[in-house]
Amino acid sequence: MAQKSLKKNAFLNIFKTFLGVIFPLITFPYSSRILQPDGIGKVNFAQSVISYFAIFAALGISSYGIRESAKLRDDKKLLSKFCKEIFILNCISTAFAYSILIITIFFISNFIPYRAVLCVCSATIIFTTIGMDWLYKAEEDYFYITIRHLFFQILSIIFLFIFVRTKDDYIKYAGIAVFANVGSNILNFFHSRKYISFRNCKIENPFKHLKAVLVLFSMSVAISIYTTLDTTMVGLLSSDYQVGLYTASTKINKIVLQLVTSIGFILMPRLSYYIGKKDFQSFNKLVYKSVDVMFLISIPCAIGLSVLSEGVILLLSGTHYVQAIPVMRMMNPIIVIIGMGSLLGSQILIPMGKEKYTLISEIIGAVSNFTLNLILIPRFHAFGAAIATVSAESLVTATQLFFARKYFEVNKFALSFLKYFLNSVIMGIIVLISIRLFKTQYSKMIFGIAVGVITYFLLLVLERNSIIFEILKSVKQKIVKSKQ
């Protein structure tokens, strides 16, 4: 099977992630002003609750499916057999998750006021199951994924402006969010015939995959505890208003984080393929390069957002969310922390079959996050949740770094981090000084972003950064080719 271009896949996935950035940038300023902190808080609380049931339905199948399908993709018959077994297992877990969800919604008093929005958000579960997104990632079919995503994002934006007009339309907003994120998965099941066929496909016991899947499932549960538990606990221990503030404060850095972590998800099937072929030289080369790219993007984004956080919050969310500014500044380091942890897990430990080490790190993060949330949220509300999240993510990444140290040279990672950190600090200082020349937040944002991008780019050029020069060389070659 001909290998797909990693550069093309990277471009397509970054473009898809960029669409994921543009969609909230268009929709969130509108919806946050229409729905107000309470409405946004209700929807995000419901989404955080549904995410736990979605994890039980997913059962860790996504990571397992990507890894194992990538190894089998040269043999359509074996791949079809594997996918059918996994799909059946996923349907069983989804039915079980929905059963528990129904009991929860109708018999637990705390969830009764959120019953309608919880039911709408729960559609995410069924769409995720039938979507088999893991198959397309294993096949590295990012062109289909991107085009499909673009179409549904455009439709969602249109629906938002048509149907969400008052603060009472938060349930409609929740439905549109489901449609935007996973609505396109309905197409996947039919399109999957390009790679697999369930006809005349004899399967063995699908539960034979359960042991391997449960390890990854345990990881998903642990990850969920410290990635969505913060929102849930703010809702339970504080108020919908504080959930709204927390959502506003984390919205942008989570969008940037999607771009950073997408690097790992692009490369995991290719790295698993190399492991299957025992091509460790290609494996190591790709890991070091991806870490370099991750630091190049994540560190300046984290520092830049901290400098411009006031403008980001006020422009995108409005004056009702001014208390979210310090929360956002507290949360920005997770862009780098989670970015590094994601690469250690998805690029090194999981492809190497060492997911048990990732599980240990996630359990440590989950326990620490829950404990800190319990202590800090009643006193500091959304800001306390931010402290707990950053602390937990730091512990997770540190633990993964400890377990993965035998598979790479730590000094290379440290030098790469230091190089981009120093450049980003210089950029941040220049931006901080320059935006003082302007009075309006809009002017500060536009000028600050422009100065930051130009300054950072020039610093990388001056130090002859290999990634930047590779990009410039590629652009130059295309320009020359187009003129011929």
Side-chain angles (χ1 to χ4, degrees), residues 152-332:
F152 276 78
Q153 291 281 294
I154 292 172
L155 281 180
S156 300
I157 292 172
I158 295 171
F159 291 159
L160 177 72
F161 291 123
I162 292 175
F163 296 112
V164 179
R165 308 299 294 271
T166 72
K167 64 179 182 180
D168 296 322
D169 291 332
Y170 65 91
I171 294 177
K172 295 178 183 178
Y173 171 72
I176 292 169
V178 171
F179 182 81
N181 292 327
V182 295
S184 59
N185 284 8
I186 193 70
L187 305 176
N188 287 10
F189 186 80
F190 302 101
H191 186 263
S192 64
R193 289 177 294 181
K194 177 180 178 181
Y195 298 109
I196 59 175
S197 174
F198 285 168
R199 289 186 178 181
N200 301 319
C201 180
K202 294 182 179 180
I203 66 168
E204 298 176 12
N205 180 12
F207 292 100
K208 69 181 182 180
H209 301 284
L210 196 58
K211 182 178 179 181
V213 164
L214 283 177
V215 176
L216 294 168
F217 165 69
S218 301
M219 286 168 48
S220 298
V221 172
I223 291 171
S224 165
I225 290 176
Y226 65 84
T227 55
T228 59
L229 186 67
D230 46 5
T231 302
T232 307
M233 291 187 72
V234 170
L236 293 174
L237 300 176
S238 189
S239 64
D240 289 336
Y241 177 77
Q242 288 294 326
V243 176
L245 294 180
Y246 191 73
T247 301
S249 68
T250 59
K251 194 74 176 179
I252 298 301
N253 56 41
K254 284 185 176 179
I255 290 171
V256 175
L257 192 56
Q258 288 176 12
L259 175 62
V260 174
T261 56
S262 68
I263 298 170
F265 290 115
I266 295 167
L267 298 177
M268 190 168 79
R270 183 63 59 88
L271 290 166
S272 297
Y273 183 84
Y274 287 150
I275 292 294
K277 299 295 182 182
K278 300 192 182 300
D279 185 357
F280 295 106
Q281 183 177 356
S282 297
F283 177 88
N284 290 328
K285 183 179 179 181
L286 193 55
V287 166
Y288 284 122
K289 188 169 185 178
S290 62
V291 169
D292 211 38
V293 172
M294 185 274 296
F295 281 146
L296 182 146
I297 298 171
S298 65
I299 297 175
C301 285
I303 292 177
L305 281 176
S306 294
V307 174
L308 300 173
S309 57
E310 182 179 355
V312 170
I313 292 294
L314 294 178
L315 289 175
L316 294 183
S317 302
T319 55
H320 292 288
Y321 297 82
V322 68
Q323 294 181 43
I325 295 170
V327 184
M328 181 180 180
R329 287 175 176 154
M330 183 69 224
M331 284 290 288
N332 284 331

Side-chain angles (χ1 to χ4, degrees), residues 16 65 68 106 124 152 160 213 215 318 355 395 411 469 482:
K16 174 179 173 289
E68 300 304 315
F106 287 94
T124 300
F152 276 78
L160 177 72
V213 164
V215 176
E355 53 267 19
L395 280 173
N411 290 339
F469 272 80
S482 65

